[in-house]
Amino acid sequence: MVPVLTAALGHGVVAGFTGRAGGTSAGGYAGLDLGQHVGDDPLAVAGNRRRVAAWAGGPVVFARQVHGTRCAVLPGAGDPSPDPFLGDLGEDDGGYDALVVTAPGHPIGVLVADCVPVLLADPVAGVAAVAHAGRPGLLAGVLESVVRAMTEAGAQAERVRAVLGPSAGPCCYEVPSAMRDDAAARIPATSASTTWGTPSLDLRAGCRQILRTLGVGDVTSVGGCTVEDDRFYSFRRSPVTGRFAGVVMMVG
Ligand SMILES: [Zn+2]
């Protein structure tokens, strides 16, 4: 049952998105909740993370995400190394919203419940990455940050493939009109309307616009709107909720 959706990022790259199926969390978190700081039982989340590790071939490193733009490059000398089942990278130093990995055998993940989980890889360079692109991080430049870190690690933007995972769609992601206007001033493609005709944001369209501007060679999407698809966690649908993940790893 792990993952719900797989993603094709090229030869030697394993990538996919988890859902709610296959986990042991209960209540509003029911299912495969992977978020260690959302109010769920930490041991249940640790058990769920072990199930994902069994699929990924090793413990998945997640970061404490803060809707910012900082990017950590792994593996690195002197990395803080929390227990990946019970803790997140960057818990003690301000958090990260993107991770880059430059060696095979190190799964990395991004946790979401409506924000856009972005997985990226340049299989030729052997560089993979994840990014957490909610409204604040996208507008602040988290995708610029992660692509810059990938190229500094040897990737070439035109070789990079990116996949955008399930997230709140423009159909449902209603925002005040001033918020839509602010986002559109920076990233015009984000401007959208809900199915009932009110202002909304299309974060995936915004991600595509930024990634194309950065020269990323291939950008695709998998999955639909998390608010409407109860295979996934959605904060908009239920404020007490877990987190699903996008996971990527280079193999051998
Ligand atoms: Zn929707």
Side-chain angles (χ1 to χ4, degrees):
M1 301 297 281
V2 177
V4 169
L5 299 170
T6 57
L9 288 178
H11 182 71
V13 185
V14 173
F17 298 92
T18 67
R20 301 184 72 143
T24 61
S25 288
Y29 309 101
L32 193 73
D33 175 25
L34 301 173
Q36 267 301 7
H37 305 286
V38 295
D40 195 359
D41 173 0
L43 294 179
V45 174
N48 293 334
R49 287 187 173 195
R50 285 192 174 86
R51 293 177 183 217
V52 177
W55 162 70
V60 180
V61 173
F62 295 105
R64 177 184 163 226
Q65 301 168 178
V66 295
H67 292 286
T69 64
R70 289 180 74 214
C71 179
V73 179
L74 305 172
D79 284 338
S81 51
D83 179 330
F85 299 112
L86 286 167
D88 295 328
L89 193 68
E91 282 183 357
D92 301 325
D93 67 355
Y96 301 97
D97 288 89
L99 298 173
V100 170
V101 69
T102 60
H106 294 273
I108 52 176
V110 53
L111 298 167
V112 288
D114 292 340
C115 292
V116 185
V118 185
L119 311 182
L120 311 100
D122 174 352
V124 177
V127 176
V130 298
H132 169 233
R135 180 187 58 85
L138 176 63
L139 295 175
V142 70
L143 296 181
E144 289 90 336
S145 173
V146 73
V147 171
R148 185 184 320 119
M150 290 181 76
T151 54
E152 286 173 1
Q156 293 182 13
E158 65 273 17
R159 284 197 310 239
V160 171
R161 291 193 198 180
V163 62
L164 314 175
S167 45
C171 41
C172 297
Y173 189 15
E174 183 178 54
V175 295
S177 59
M179 186 178 284
R180 179 175 71 176
D181 293 346
D182 284 348
R186 158 105 166 82
I187 310 175
T190 57
S191 184
S193 298
T194 60
T195 49
W196 55 95
T198 58
S200 76
L201 293 179
D202 189 338
L203 292 183
R204 291 206 282 193
C207 289
R208 281 193 291 275
Q209 180 175 357
I210 293 293
L211 291 169
R212 279 199 209 102
T213 300
L214 294 169
V216 169
D218 185 65
V219 184
T220 57
S221 298
V222 298
C225 173
T226 44
V227 182
E228 298 175 81
D229 186 345
D230 62 11
R231 292 180 301 163
F232 301 98
Y233 294 105
S234 167
F235 183 80
R236 284 253 165 171
R237 192 174 61 237
S238 168
V240 176
T241 194
R243 298 290 181 273
F244 68 96
V247 176
V248 65
M249 179 179 69
M250 310 293 308
V251 293

Coordinates of all heavy atoms in Angstrom, one line a residue, residues 167-173 195-196 224-229, ligand 1:
S167 N -2.1 18.0 -4.1 CA -2.2 19.2 -3.3 C -3.5 19.9 -3.5 O -4.3 19.5 -4.4 CB -1.0 20.1 -3.7 OG -0.9 20.2 -5.1
A168 N -3.8 20.9 -2.7 CA -5.1 21.6 -2.8 C -5.2 22.2 -4.1 O -4.3 23.0 -4.5 CB -5.2 22.6 -1.7
G169 N -6.2 22.0 -4.9 CA -6.3 22.5 -6.2 C -7.0 23.9 -6.3 O -7.6 24.3 -5.3
P170 N -6.8 24.5 -7.4 CA -7.5 25.8 -7.6 C -9.0 25.7 -7.4 O -9.7 26.7 -7.0 CB -7.1 26.3 -9.0 CG -6.8 25.0 -9.7 CD -6.2 24.1 -8.6
C171 N -9.5 24.5 -7.6 CA -11.0 24.3 -7.5 C -11.4 24.6 -6.1 O -12.6 25.0 -5.8 CB -11.2 22.8 -7.8 SG -10.0 21.7 -7.2
C172 N -10.6 24.3 -5.1 CA -11.0 24.4 -3.6 C -10.2 25.4 -2.8 O -10.6 25.7 -1.7 CB -10.8 23.0 -3.0 SG -11.9 21.7 -3.7
Y173 N -9.0 25.8 -3.3 CA -8.1 26.6 -2.4 C -8.5 28.0 -2.4 O -7.8 28.9 -2.9 CB -6.6 26.4 -2.9 CG -5.6 26.9 -2.0 CD1 -5.9 27.3 -0.7 CD2 -4.3 27.1 -2.4 CE1 -4.9 27.8 0.2 CE2 -3.3 27.6 -1.6 CZ -3.6 28.0 -0.3 OH -2.7 28.5 0.5
T195 N -14.3 26.5 -7.9 CA -15.4 26.0 -8.8 C -16.7 26.8 -8.5 O -17.6 26.8 -9.3 CB -15.7 24.5 -8.5 OG1 -15.8 24.3 -7.1 CG2 -14.6 23.6 -9.1
W196 N -16.8 27.5 -7.3 CA -17.9 28.3 -7.0 C -17.7 29.8 -7.3 O -18.5 30.6 -6.9 CB -18.4 28.0 -5.6 CG -17.4 28.2 -4.5 CD1 -17.2 29.3 -3.7 CD2 -16.5 27.3 -4.0 NE1 -16.2 29.1 -2.8 CE2 -15.7 27.9 -3.0 CE3 -16.2 25.9 -4.4 CZ2 -14.7 27.2 -2.3 CZ3 -15.2 25.3 -3.7 CH2 -14.4 25.9 -2.7
G224 N -4.5 14.5 -7.8 CA -5.4 15.7 -8.0 C -5.4 16.5 -6.8 O -4.4 16.8 -6.1
C225 N -6.7 17.0 -6.4 CA -6.9 17.9 -5.3 C -7.1 17.2 -4.0 O -8.0 16.4 -3.9 CB -8.1 18.7 -5.7 SG -8.6 19.8 -4.3
T226 N -6.2 17.5 -3.1 CA -6.2 16.8 -1.8 C -7.5 17.1 -1.0 O -8.0 16.2 -0.2 CB -5.0 17.2 -0.9 OG1 -4.8 18.6 -1.0 CG2 -3.8 16.4 -1.4
V227 N -8.1 18.3 -1.2 CA -9.3 18.6 -0.5 C -10.5 17.7 -0.8 O -11.3 17.3 0.0 CB -9.7 20.1 -0.7 CG1 -10.9 20.5 0.1 CG2 -8.5 21.0 -0.4
E228 N -10.4 17.2 -2.1 CA -11.5 16.4 -2.6 C -11.2 14.9 -2.6 O -12.1 14.1 -2.7 CB -11.9 16.8 -4.0 CG -12.3 18.2 -4.1 CD -12.5 18.6 -5.6 OE1 -13.6 18.3 -6.2 OE2 -11.6 19.3 -6.2
D229 N -9.9 14.6 -2.5 CA -9.5 13.1 -2.6 C -9.1 12.6 -1.2 O -8.0 12.9 -0.7 CB -8.3 13.0 -3.6 CG -8.0 11.6 -3.9 OD1 -8.4 10.7 -3.1 OD2 -7.2 11.4 -4.9
Ligands
ZN1 ZN -10.6 20.7 -5.3

